[in-house]
Amino acid sequence: MSDIDLLDLPLVLLSNRGPVSFDRDTAGRTVTRGAGGLVSALSGLAEHLDDAVWVCGAATPEDAAVAGENDGGSILVQTQPSPHVVDGKPDGPSIRVRLVVTDPDAYADFYSVWSNPILWFIQHGLYGRSLTPVLTRADHDAFENGYAAVNRAYADAVADEVRSRGGKALVLLQDYHFYLVAEHVREQCPDVVLTHFVHIPWPGPDEWRILPGDIRERLLRGLLGSDVVGFHTRRYARNFVLCAGELLGLPINLDELTVQVNDRTVRARYYPISVDPAALDATLASEEVAAHVAMLRYVFLDEDRQLVLRVDRTDPSKNVVRGFLAFGTLLDQHPELVGKVSFLALLQPSRTDVPEYADYIALIGAVVAEINARHTKEGRQPIDLRMVEDFALAVAAYSICDVLMVNAIADGMNLVAKEVAVVNRRGGVLALSEMAGAHEELGEFAVTLQPFDVQQMADALYAALVMPMDERHRRLAAAAEQVRTHDVRRWLNEQLADLSHLAGFS
């Protein structure tokens, strides 16, 4: 019997972005399936259950129109072979979706003031503290009228779906947008089995002391409405338990990773999220990727040259600037590598409406220009910076790079490292930040980066580039085996097994 078979309860999922989105083109309404490993894994779960609904935000005007046409209730979407709404019985895999429409001003405060940047910055350690943040009455109001109000709206939608199923359901909440939802749902539906998975780092108590005391207490107590709070690593789970003990004064057990809330025991658990190796293998085998590989080999790998790669968003937490400074230092100290090693950076602009992010993008460009000016040889620039979001191009680059650089200041997991481990065919070396969640699994197979130490990172890059080929292949094979045997389905099934046990089914 599989873990999914053990779930003799209706399932209610909640995430900010859903499994499908609606839009319009000249032919009328369109339906697009969501991308990414998380959506694929959760969709696969929901599609195989008799009674499941996915609650998510109405992200487009057409999403809101669809919600309005159905009086805010759920709709049934057949997902394959092409996604479309069905009125009767579907003849293929399907998901029931409930789109939640919220006030635009409240949503802006929820998403653009609190979720990003405040919670994101706290949980990634991005505040300098001496000057930032400056929390004002406007931020207090944005929390109450935005983050808290939107959380209540989503909680009410989840609770409504639970009540319509008799008051008992398995509820899976996702990420940092919804820290207040679990408590609200439990108040309305005390018989739920509820888990909240946090996909970004969870820092220790001192970082949370940046927030006003009443707000941090509400966030923690909101999460503690869950039966299980899931994280990517043991360190994050332990930090959460410490926060409950130090900031709320609740009884905790650090060995068992539990928090006592009145008569309930809340469990902190860690489940490292992963990728879908079969999907990556299929992408690698595509003609589109093959064309990109041929182009990249021609540009970067003639005459025994080597290629360093990074694929990232331009989020300051990704530490792109220090990564380029380390590469510049490498070329300064090893001039024999100039013209022999290229650095391809495929970066996706991120949250450009946030001033800190826009400033960071400008700084990235300036640093790259300075390094290229210093080390261009025979017309060949050492850094090729491309602002592009192209998964096929990324997979092609994954497959032929000599080194992948991941030097994040903080990262919940970092799936790029796992993707490279699966598809690289060149004995590529993972140069991996000790602050990325992936380091807990893959660190022993990687060259470790200390993300604030530019000299250390330059030395680590050099060690990776000169590593004997048999050692490179040994490490890569071990990393690939770890990822293939701990894929995204295992990530989900381990959570389901724990929840099934709590619900009394195992």
Side-chain angles (χ1 to χ4, degrees):
M1 180 179 288
S2 73
D3 294 325
I4 290 176
D5 294 329
L6 292 170
L7 296 176
D8 192 22
L9 285 173
L11 175 70
V12 182
L13 293 165
L14 172 66
S15 64
N16 190 43
R17 298 291 174 88
V20 295
S21 63
F22 295 87
D23 215 327
R24 278 200 170 272
D25 60 18
T26 55
R29 178 171 288 167
T30 63
V31 189
T32 304
R33 187 166 184 172
L38 174 64
V39 168
S40 296
L42 294 177
S43 296
L45 171 64
E47 288 167 354
H48 287 88
L49 294 176
D50 293 332
D51 191 1
V53 61
W54 192 320
V55 180
C56 56
T60 68
E62 200 64 21
D63 285 350
V66 171
E69 291 166 10
N70 292 273
D71 297 323
S74 64
I75 56 173
L76 188 62
V77 178
Q78 184 169 318
T79 55
Q80 294 179 16
S82 60
H84 61 280
V85 177
V86 292
D87 293 324
K89 186 176 181 179
D91 58 5
S94 61
I95 300 175
R96 187 160 290 282
V97 179
R98 178 164 176 160
L99 296 161
V100 179
V101 180
T102 53
D103 176 78
D105 291 335
Y107 188 87
D109 284 342
F110 155 78
Y111 191 80
S112 299
V113 176
W114 271 93
S115 296
N116 305 314
I118 294 176
L119 291 177
W120 182 274
F121 270 51
I122 284 174
Q123 293 188 239
H124 288 83
L126 294 178
Y127 281 127
R129 296 200 186 194
S130 59
L131 296 176
T132 58
V134 178
L135 298 174
T136 66
R137 170 53 59 188
D139 295 305
H140 283 259
D141 292 343
F143 183 83
E144 196 61 57
N145 301 323
Y147 191 87
V150 171
N151 269 244
R152 281 193 299 272
Y154 280 87
D156 289 344
V158 170
D160 185 54
E161 294 294 339
V162 173
R163 282 192 297 268
S164 72
R165 289 162 173 79
K168 291 186 177 182
L170 171 59
V171 178
L172 271 61
L173 310 177
Q174 302 294 318
D175 230 344
Y176 59 103
H177 308 85
F178 298 120
Y179 287 157
L180 304 180
V181 167
E183 184 179 34
H184 291 318
V185 171
R186 186 169 296 282
E187 288 171 353
Q188 300 180 59
C189 307
D191 294 327
V192 292
V193 178
L194 204 154
T195 181
H196 190 130
F197 194 91
V198 181
H199 289 267
I200 64 176
W202 189 277
D206 284 349
E207 203 69 29
W208 288 101
R209 288 187 170 97
I210 290 173
L211 288 181
D214 62 322
I215 290 178
R216 68 174 180 248
E217 179 171 339
R218 288 171 67 183
L219 293 171
L220 283 167
R221 290 197 179 276
L223 269 172
L224 289 167
S226 308
D227 295 293
V228 174
V229 185
F231 303 90
H232 288 308
T233 72
R234 179 177 177 83
R235 176 162 58 94
Y236 305 153
R238 190 175 188 276
N239 283 344
F240 175 75
V241 173
L242 282 171
C243 286
E246 291 190 21
L247 300 178
L248 298 181
L250 295 173
I252 64 173
N253 186 319
L254 283 175
D255 294 326
E256 299 292 331
L257 294 177
T258 59
V259 181
Q260 198 65 30
V261 183
N262 300 322
D263 60 344
R264 291 191 309 111
T265 300
V266 180
R267 295 158 175 84
R269 293 289 183 263
Y270 51 101
Y271 313 97
I273 198 171
S274 194
V275 297
D276 182 345
L280 285 167
D281 290 339
T283 301
L284 181 63
S286 69
E287 292 183 4
E288 184 179 7
V289 167
H292 284 309
V293 167
M295 178 272 294
L296 293 172
R297 285 189 180 278
Y298 175 78
V299 173
F300 296 111
L301 295 179
D302 63 312
E303 300 175 352
D304 296 324
R305 292 164 61 209
Q306 293 194 81
L307 178 64
V308 178
L309 173 70
R310 83 173 304 141
V311 178
D312 262 325
R313 290 180 293 106
T314 55
D315 190 301
S317 68
K318 300 298 185 180
N319 206 24
V320 174
V321 168
R322 288 193 189 92
F324 285 138
L325 292 176
F327 183 68
T329 300
L330 169 75
L331 298 183
D332 291 340
Q333 297 175 355
H334 297 279
E336 73 277 9
L337 295 180
V338 175
K340 298 293 185 181
V341 178
S342 299
F343 194 148
L344 173 63
L346 305 178
L347 303 183
Q348 302 113 47
S350 176
R351 299 170 186 154
T352 53
D353 58 324
V354 178
E356 292 91 340
Y357 284 67
D359 292 344
Y360 197 72
I361 291 174
L363 183 57
I364 289 170
V367 169
V368 168
E370 191 276 329
I371 293 171
N372 279 343
R374 199 165 74 240
H375 289 296
T376 293
K377 182 177 181 180
E378 297 176 353
R380 180 176 285 164
Q381 294 184 331
I383 299 175
D384 186 333
L385 171 61
R386 304 186 189 186
M387 294 291 186
V388 61
E389 186 171 1
D390 184 334
F391 187 63
L393 176 62
V395 170
Y398 290 164
S399 70
I400 63 167
C401 68
D402 294 278
V403 180
L404 173 78
M405 187 175 203
V406 175
N407 67 310
I409 292 170
D411 212 336
M413 175 52 63
N414 194 280
L415 293 180
V416 169
K418 293 190 173 186
E419 290 169 344
V420 167
V422 169
V423 304
N424 187 267
R425 299 295 184 266
R426 192 175 161 86
V429 180
L430 299 177
L432 185 57
S433 169
E434 63 184 351
M435 299 302 291
H439 195 271
E440 197 165 283
E441 281 185 274
L442 302 180
E444 63 181 299
F445 316 124
V447 172
T448 295
L449 302 180
Q450 297 168 12
F452 300 98
D453 188 340
V454 169
Q455 182 60 60
Q456 187 277 337
M457 289 191 289
D459 293 341
L461 286 176
Y462 182 76
L465 288 166
V466 301
M467 185 180 293
M469 190 57 69
D470 58 346
E471 176 67 6
R472 285 171 50 165
H473 281 286
R474 183 193 69 79
R475 291 182 182 224
L476 180 64
E481 177 67 15
Q482 172 66 22
V483 176
R484 288 185 180 276
T485 56
H486 295 75
D487 64 5
V488 70
R489 289 176 180 82
R490 177 166 173 165
W491 167 80
L492 181 57
N493 284 340
E494 287 181 349
Q495 294 176 72
L496 296 178
D498 281 354
L499 292 166
S500 298
H501 177 71
L502 283 174
F505 293 103
S506 63

